[in-house]
Amino acid sequence: MPAVSKGDGMRGLAVFISDIRNCKSKEAEIKRINKELANIRSKFKGDKALDGYSKKKYVCKLLFIFLLGHDIDFGHMEAVNLLSSNKYTEKQIGYLFISVLVNSNSELIRLINNAIKNDLSSRNPTFMCLALHCIANVGSREMAEAFASEIPRILVAGDTMDSVKQSAALCLLRLYKTSPDLVLMGEWTSRVVHLLNDQHMGVVTAAISLITCLSQKNPDEFKTCVSLAVSRLSRIVSSASTDLQDYTYYFVPAPWLSCKLLRLLQCYPPPEDGAVKGRLVECLETILNKAQEPPKSKKVQHSNAKNAILFEAISLIIHYDSEPNLLVRACNQLGQFLQHRETNLRYLALESMCTLASSEFSHEAVKTHIETVINALKTERDVSVRQRAADLLYAMCDRSNAKQIVAEMLSYLETADYSIREEMVLKVAILAEKYAVDYSWYVDTILNLIRIAGDYVSEEVWYRVIQIVINRDDVQGYAAKTVFEALQAPACHENMVKVGGYILGEFGNLIAGDPRSSPLVQFNLLHSKFHLCSVPTRALLLSAYIKFINLFPETKATIQEVLRCDSQIRNSDVELQQRAVEYLKLSSIASTDVLATVLEEMPPFPERESSILAKLKKKKGPGAVSVTELEDSKREGGELNGGGDRGPDTSAMSASNASTPSPSADLLGIRSSAPAGTAPASAGNLLVDVFSEAGPAAPSAAVNDDGFLSSAPPSEDPAPPLSEADELLNKFVCKNNGVLFENQLLQIGIKSEYRQNLGRMYLFYGNKTSVQFASFTTSVSCPGELQSHILSVQLCFSIFRNYQSLKSDFWSTVCKTILNRSKFQNLHPSVIVI
Amino acid sequence: MMRFLLLFSRQGKLRLQKWFTPIPEREKKKIIREMTTMVLARQPRSCNFLHWKDLKIIYKRYASLYFCLAIENHENELLALEVIHRYVELLDKYFGNVCELDIIFNFEKAYFILDEFLLGGEIQETSKQIVNRCIESSDMLQERW
């Protein structure tokens, strides 16, 4: 038997709802609903015009079905028809339907707006309210266009009933929020402010929401509301509980109105007028006093209402931030709440104190509660309360308590909820950096962070610790030692391996003296973790290994062995394979000087905003974290990042001209050739600079041991064992340009280009000495059949200057040789150098 | 401003949904799912406030129904709790010892009462008597016509 409903019952609806409830399964429910939908559809399409009651019933049923979660695609027309009925209940259902199932059909919108207009201009307050409710619920642009000018008039007209005024105020507010451009300020604005003085408390309650929103957008226009608000507030606060009759809520006078008044005042700075200000301060003090009085009722509603006003008053005090006396009292009050029985109050107290902590007047007062907050962090059962406690610790942290707070947060982190760990990690990292006096403490903290919550330590955090260690000489040794010890743990987090790999790679030499952390021990330690790591970490470790080769030549053989093994140089991951191959090559062909320059210690990083802060801001959303303090002190922390503006160091890849080949180098001087292929253009390799890498594959040219270009077979033939000389030339298999020959005096480069059956080769001669060449001549001799294919050989050169200025004049020394392409593959130009 | 008000049972069945800002239907369904999961998972003695995205969620259980109200970040949580309570009182006064069944079978009345109490996400009238009088008088209109 369905519950009896008041009013007219709509029995059919009740039966339908019962049926649905009695359905045993989802399928049965859907079946029943479809049956009903078919029924309603046929009734709507039927010949007989439905009477109002039936229409209302069916529209209501459709609404019910929609609210259950099923889609409804008809019924709007019938609902709109109900709007024009004279019967209140039919209108009501019609309005409810169209507010819930908003339709964007323009014809319907026109009809709806018409109906609303009629109701607004009828002098019937109940109908007017219905129309206003609908506009406020829907608030569409079309409605705003139609009614934005009408509603302010209704609001301030003298003959409008109170209930209509309330609805009009909030309706206007809704339209203002959604279409602010259509609600124009006019003479109604000054009259709206005076609604604050209205007799009817309900009108004031509704109007004040509107005024608050308008004040935020046009503070000057509405600033007269401040004094009105203050006087209203003080009347309420000092009233006896019987004065306000039904607006007293569990012995608290008009709590909602009081809170709204306090919120309105937060839109403005403290009042300048002395009298007004005095009255307000008195008000706030009364509110604070009342909190100390014994409660008038045991009910939770009473204390909630009373405390709601108290918290809002405290928000106002914090907003003003100018009355130290009030601020301290507020802080003490919150301190009492920190240990209240009720969880809600503890939660709110922790939250409010966060804002208090950033005010200079109350910061010290907040700090006195540190023990309570730490206790809350440890013992609260509700995770959201614990989180507020953590936030408060973060806000109240300063130099005096930083170590204690960071320690507490770290121990909290060990058992914290997974959803908040990342944020906690960021906060600990920020605090540790900001308040580090002794950077070894900072390094310890971050390594602890990685140990405890490694998964949640984002890249920004460990990048930062590396940046700081690199920039501070005094902590490098300590960092190396600590990281070494941390890596000894049997199961250490991958982030630890990353940090460890990097730091040992840079600063492992600082602890290499101790036999327990000798170079090979360090290498073995790192390598023992190698196979457990992901690809990016392994890539980092490979870089660390090559750095080890540079720092500790005695490890070279061991490390090369590792690099050489198949799992590295044939690794399926491109990055790892490339690194292994390149590092292996680098270690074998680069001289110690070259290696040392390539793998020079990282220079200090330039100062920039901590990316950790940016990440925290992004996580918390704008305004949620008080970062202003942090940003200010970052400027003091400038010395943290070493001076100078050096960007990423690319000059490490310096040229071969910096190195002097040994006198015993053979004529070809292969050993002094350019470093590994990753070297970008630099001063010495001018020829490499000049060339672009595009172009079809060029034939190879071989050089025989005398330094003469010989007619050795091209690479297509089965290759004889390559001498080192050939290595230089073999690259022309796939390149058109490059260095052909080099020794102490001279560098010869070749640049070639080809089109169809024509080819062109340029030979460049570079003077590597600091004196001019004299009587320098070149000739090209082509053996045998090559001669017939060469169209012309042009030798041209200008005066050789000394090496330094050759940089700019190189183009003037060009030797052109034009060859017939089709035979070219078998031919190799010979150059005889005199 | 309030953003939405949801009433759902312990089994997660939605009994009332009031949205104070326009939201697409799919988004609404998603929010409903998230709210019910979040609120139903809360421990009994925890506090009544939650943070969700950029809103505060205030929830309270009355018998078999959970009332879940979402407010903007600058709003007063304790007051929101009392808004919920006031609404329950209004329902109670109208239906007399209101229970979940009343709301199921008279869902349209629940919406009408809500419209008299809250409008456009703000409080319209806090006097219980006045709101009740409005609803009663509309019932009288019904009976007359």
Side-chain angles (χ1 to χ4, degrees):
Chain A
M1 184 58 200
V4 174
S5 47
K6 300 192 70 172
D8 84 21
M10 275 196 287
R11 200 173 155 77
L13 174 64
V15 170
F16 175 58
I17 296 177
S18 277
D19 285 348
I20 297 288
R21 280 173 63 76
N22 291 332
C23 284
K24 296 279 187 261
S25 67
K26 192 86 184 152
E27 291 77 30
E29 185 180 302
I30 293 180
K31 205 164 141 206
R32 178 70 185 88
I33 287 176
N34 283 335
K35 181 166 152 218
E36 193 61 40
L37 283 175
N39 178 33
I40 298 175
R41 244 188 268 260
S42 69
K43 287 279 166 39
F44 280 170
K45 281 209 195 83
D47 300 331
K48 274 195 319 172
L50 283 173
D51 67 325
Y53 173 83
S54 304
K55 233 190 289 189
K56 176 179 78 168
K57 188 178 66 174
Y58 293 129
V59 167
C60 208
K61 277 186 181 174
L62 283 177
L63 186 57
F64 178 77
I65 295 171
F66 179 75
L67 290 172
L68 267 185
H70 305 267
D71 284 323
I72 301 288
D73 56 358
F74 70 103
H76 296 91
M77 204 56 218
E78 286 72 17
V80 173
N81 280 339
L82 282 173
L83 293 184
S84 41
S85 154
N86 261 330
K87 297 207 179 139
Y88 176 70
T89 50
E90 289 170 23
K91 249 196 225 285
Q92 221 181 11
I93 298 279
Y95 273 125
L96 183 59
F97 187 94
I98 59 172
S99 323
V100 174
L101 281 107
V102 179
N103 192 290
S104 45
N105 178 320
S106 54
E107 179 59 28
L108 277 174
I109 288 176
R110 200 181 55 78
L111 290 170
I112 293 171
N113 282 356
N114 251 345
I116 292 179
K117 193 152 49 167
N118 288 337
D119 281 326
L120 279 181
S121 42
S122 76
R123 301 234 129 225
N124 185 329
T126 14
F127 287 5
M128 287 174 85
C129 275
L130 273 182
L132 289 168
H133 290 180
C134 181
I135 301 174
N137 283 330
V138 176
S140 67
R141 183 108 188 138
E142 292 83 7
M143 285 189 183
E145 280 164 8
F147 303 111
S149 44
E150 172 92 15
I151 297 181
R153 257 180 299 159
I154 298 177
L155 179 59
V156 296
D159 57 348
T160 315
M161 300 237 1
D162 291 329
S163 58
V164 178
K165 270 196 196 154
Q166 285 172 261
S167 303
L170 293 176
C171 181
L172 185 59
L173 175 60
R174 175 68 199 270
L175 290 181
Y176 184 74
K177 281 192 185 157
T178 49
S179 317
D181 52 322
L182 293 173
V183 179
L184 304 164
M185 302 293 122
E187 57 161 63
W188 58 272
T189 48
S190 48
R191 319 223 348 232
V192 153
V193 175
H194 280 278
L195 286 173
L196 281 176
N197 276 338
D198 200 293
Q199 290 257 20
H200 191 282
M201 298 283 269
V203 171
V204 186
T205 310
I208 198 171
S209 303
L210 174 65
I211 296 170
T212 309
C213 182
L214 290 170
S215 308
Q216 279 167 345
K217 300 284 168 62
N218 318 285
D220 289 320
E221 209 161 327
F222 289 90
K223 63 173 185 272
T224 45
C225 68
V226 173
S227 51
L228 290 175
V230 172
S231 56
R232 195 84 206 215
L233 180 67
S234 82
R235 285 210 302 274
I236 296 174
V237 163
S238 47
S239 66
S241 49
T242 47
D243 285 353
L244 299 171
Q245 297 167 325
D246 202 39
Y247 288 93
T248 301
Y249 182 80
Y250 291 89
F251 300 104
V252 179
W256 282 284
L257 186 50
S258 313
C259 283
K260 286 203 182 195
L261 287 164
L262 287 164
R263 282 240 67 238
L264 174 59
L265 290 170
Q266 284 177 53
C267 297
Y268 287 94
E272 286 149 4
D273 184 286
V276 175
K277 185 159 185 204
R279 238 176 139 185
L280 180 57
V281 170
E282 212 181 291
C283 235
L284 293 171
E285 280 178 352
T286 317
I287 295 174
L288 284 168
N289 289 340
K290 278 199 184 172
Q292 300 294 330
E293 287 167 8
K296 291 207 175 78
S297 153
K298 282 212 174 17
K299 292 224 157 136
V300 70
Q301 280 76 30
H302 167 79
S303 66
N304 276 349
K306 200 171 77 164
N307 290 325
I309 302 178
L310 179 59
F311 275 105
E312 204 64 54
I314 292 179
S315 294
L316 182 61
I317 294 172
I318 294 175
H319 166 76
Y320 281 171
D321 202 16
S322 59
E323 305 281 327
N325 167 48
L326 287 177
L327 279 164
V328 171
R329 276 194 75 178
C331 184
N332 291 338
Q333 180 62 63
L334 290 178
Q336 282 179 16
F337 279 147
L338 281 181
Q339 302 183 303
H340 200 276
R341 262 178 345 148
E342 246 190 79
T343 322
N344 287 343
L345 291 176
R346 296 200 298 274
Y347 177 96
L348 292 173
L350 286 167
E351 207 175 37
S352 284
M353 263 205 178
C354 264
T355 6
L356 261 186
S358 46
S359 152
E360 49 167 337
F361 294 115
S362 50
H363 184 80
E364 288 304 318
V366 171
K367 272 163 56 175
T368 56
H369 300 283
I370 187 171
E371 291 303 330
T372 323
V373 180
I374 291 178
N375 193 43
L377 190 63
K378 292 192 181 136
T379 57
E380 283 285 348
R381 269 191 288 197
D382 185 347
V383 64
S384 25
V385 181
R386 288 204 296 271
Q387 198 41 34
R388 294 284 84 73
D391 286 345
L392 179 52
L393 282 179
Y394 177 74
M396 66 155 77
C397 189
D398 69 5
R399 222 158 264 272
S400 63
N401 54 20
K403 287 220 165 113
Q404 183 186 15
I405 286 183
V406 169
E408 290 297 338
M409 286 177 95
L410 274 176
S411 68
Y412 174 56
L413 201 54
E414 301 203 26
T415 51
D417 224 45
Y418 292 117
S419 51
I420 54 172
R421 278 197 188 196
E422 192 179 348
E423 198 185 303
M424 291 284 299
V425 164
L426 291 171
K427 286 184 169 162
V428 172
I430 293 174
L431 287 180
E433 182 186 332
K434 187 178 170 197
Y435 295 112
V437 160
D438 162 25
Y439 278 89
S440 47
W441 172 72
Y442 170 77
V443 170
D444 277 335
T445 308
I446 302 293
L447 293 182
N448 265 334
L449 262 184
I450 298 178
R451 187 179 50 81
I452 295 171
D455 285 333
Y456 301 92
V457 174
S458 58
E459 288 187 335
E460 285 85 358
V461 175
W462 71 264
Y463 286 177
R464 193 84 187 134
V465 73
I466 301 266
Q467 283 174 4
I468 288 177
V469 169
I470 296 221
N471 286 12
R472 298 199 70 87
D473 292 335
D474 48 350
V475 82
Q476 286 163 357
Y478 180 79
K481 176 164 151 314
T482 322
V483 134
F484 178 78
E485 279 162 15
L487 285 172
Q488 309 269 5
C492 68
H493 194 272
E494 191 166 331
N495 281 339
M496 186 68 87
V497 177
K498 287 183 192 168
V499 174
Y502 198 102
I503 290 188
L504 287 179
E506 290 287 317
F507 307 116
N509 54 317
L510 297 175
I511 56 171
D514 186 328
R516 291 169 299 173
S517 53
S518 73
L520 265 174
V521 172
Q522 288 181 36
F523 171 71
N524 284 328
L525 182 59
L526 283 179
H527 199 58
S528 66
K529 317 274 179 195
F530 188 85
H531 61 283
L532 297 167
C533 297
S534 66
V535 168
T537 314
R538 291 194 203 182
L540 192 151
L541 284 177
L542 288 179
S543 299
Y545 295 169
I546 186 76
K547 289 181 194 173
F548 271 11
I549 294 184
N550 177 39
L551 290 176
F552 315 119
E554 68 266 31
T555 57
K556 180 165 162 180
T558 325
I559 296 179
Q560 279 186 323
E561 201 52 52
V562 166
L563 288 174
R564 197 170 286 138
C565 70
D566 271 357
S567 59
Q568 307 305 342
I569 57 173
R570 291 180 195 243
N571 193 303
S572 56
D573 181 276
V574 170
E575 180 68 26
L576 290 182
Q577 190 187 114
Q578 184 175 9
R579 286 198 190 200
V581 166
E582 288 178 3
Y583 289 157
L584 182 61
K585 205 63 178 169
L586 179 63
S587 63
S588 23
I589 62 177
S591 72
T592 26
D593 291 323
V594 170
L595 207 58
T597 324
V598 169
L599 300 167
E600 208 178 294
E601 192 180 294
M602 275 296 172
F605 287 87
E607 182 181 331
R608 58 172 91 94
E609 173 176 318
S610 165
S611 53
I612 305 183
L613 257 171
K615 181 148 185 170
L616 184 65
K617 274 192 241 183
K618 210 167 41 161
K619 258 190 103 57
K620 295 276 277 188
V625 175
S626 58
V627 289
T628 43
E629 267 190 7
L630 289 165
E631 290 184 86
D632 282 344
S633 72
K634 231 191 342 304
R635 253 150 286 192
E636 308 154 15
E639 83 270 5
L640 176 64
N641 297 303
D645 226 353
R646 296 163 65 179
D649 193 27
T650 51
S651 58
M653 309 290 200
S654 56
S656 60
N657 67 326
S659 63
T660 46
S662 64
S664 59
D666 60 10
L667 269 174
L668 292 174
I670 297 301
R671 286 226 163 74
S672 66
S673 61
T678 50
S682 53
N685 288 336
L686 286 165
L687 295 171
V688 177
D689 209 11
V690 154
F691 302 133
S692 63
E693 293 303 292
S700 64
V703 176
N704 71 10
D705 289 341
D706 295 337
F708 298 144
L709 294 169
S710 68
S711 50
S715 57
E716 286 112 52
D717 295 345
L722 291 175
S723 67
E724 289 198 30
D726 292 335
E727 274 180 35
L728 196 59
L729 297 163
N730 282 345
K731 67 173 178 264
F732 291 110
V733 170
C734 48
K735 287 204 315 184
N736 282 350
N737 313 318
V739 172
L740 190 60
F741 168 82
E742 191 163 355
N743 69 5
Q744 280 161 289
L745 307 173
L746 182 69
Q747 186 187 56
I748 303 179
I750 196 167
K751 179 173 174 171
S752 42
E753 50 193 40
Y754 303 95
R755 207 165 28 157
Q756 296 174 342
N757 64 331
L758 295 174
R760 181 185 295 181
M761 277 171 70
Y762 297 75
L763 290 165
F764 295 79
Y765 302 86
N767 177 357
K768 285 172 71 172
T769 66
S770 51
V771 298
Q772 281 189 22
F773 283 169
S775 316
F776 182 87
T777 55
T778 63
S779 66
V780 176
S781 74
C782 310
E785 59 276 22
L786 182 58
Q787 188 61 46
S788 58
H789 298 293
I790 296 178
L791 297 178
S792 76
V793 174
Q794 288 171 338
L795 299 170
C796 56
F797 49 89
S798 66
I799 300 168
F800 278 81
R801 310 221 175 88
N802 76 33
Y803 191 60
Q804 302 314 328
S805 57
L806 265 178
K807 239 190 301 197
S808 47
D809 287 296
F810 230 71
W811 299 108
S812 55
T813 49
V814 165
C815 167
K816 291 188 196 139
T817 312
I818 301 172
L819 297 167
N820 182 315
R821 176 136 196 226
S822 59
K823 298 285 174 117
F824 191 62
Q825 290 181 349
N826 297 323
L827 306 169
H828 309 279
S830 312
V831 175
I832 300 167
V833 177
I834 303 166
Chain B
M1 155 172 188
M2 291 169 258
R3 293 288 186 89
F4 56 83
L5 171 66
L6 303 173
L7 265 71
F8 46 86
S9 70
R10 295 251 289 234
Q11 289 75 39
K13 287 198 140 160
L14 193 63
R15 299 300 178 204
L16 187 138
Q17 45 173 308
K18 182 75 184 175
W19 304 89
F20 295 109
T21 47
I23 297 180
E25 279 308 313
R26 235 182 2 173
E27 185 71 26
K28 282 186 193 171
K29 294 206 162 83
K30 190 157 155 269
I31 294 178
I32 292 169
R33 265 200 315 269
E34 277 186 51
M35 287 297 118
T36 41
T37 329
M38 246 181 17
V39 170
L40 291 174
R42 292 282 283 176
Q43 304 289 340
R45 285 182 59 78
S46 14
C47 69
N48 299 83
F49 317 126
L50 286 171
H51 272 266
W52 179 76
K53 300 204 181 158
D54 62 334
L55 299 175
K56 297 198 238 208
I57 308 293
I58 318 295
Y59 74 93
K60 190 152 178 198
R61 198 184 120 228
Y62 287 86
S64 58
L65 269 182
Y66 281 91
F67 286 69
C68 176
L69 180 62
I71 58 177
E72 288 175 348
N73 253 330
H74 55 81
E75 296 283 344
N76 191 314
E77 291 96 328
L78 286 173
L79 262 190
L81 211 48
E82 293 315 306
V83 164
I84 295 177
H85 187 78
R86 182 51 116 196
Y87 183 52
V88 173
E89 283 183 337
L90 288 168
L91 290 171
D92 194 64
K93 184 145 184 168
Y94 178 75
F95 288 110
N97 281 330
V98 66
C99 63
E100 192 180 341
L101 278 178
D102 289 320
I103 300 182
I104 295 172
F105 282 96
N106 299 284
F107 67 97
E108 79 276 11
K109 294 283 182 353
Y111 283 98
F112 298 152
I113 296 175
L114 196 56
D115 265 348
E116 295 294 334
F117 176 42
L118 307 173
L119 192 62
E122 301 281 351
I123 298 184
Q124 192 184 173
E125 177 59 70
T126 54
S127 158
K128 210 159 52 168
Q129 284 171 11
I130 294 182
V131 174
N132 207 50
R133 238 181 283 150
C134 271
I135 307 286
E136 302 266 320
S137 65
S138 77
D139 280 347
M140 303 271 273
L141 280 172
Q142 255 172 235
E143 268 146 33
R144 246 187 313 158
W145 291 105

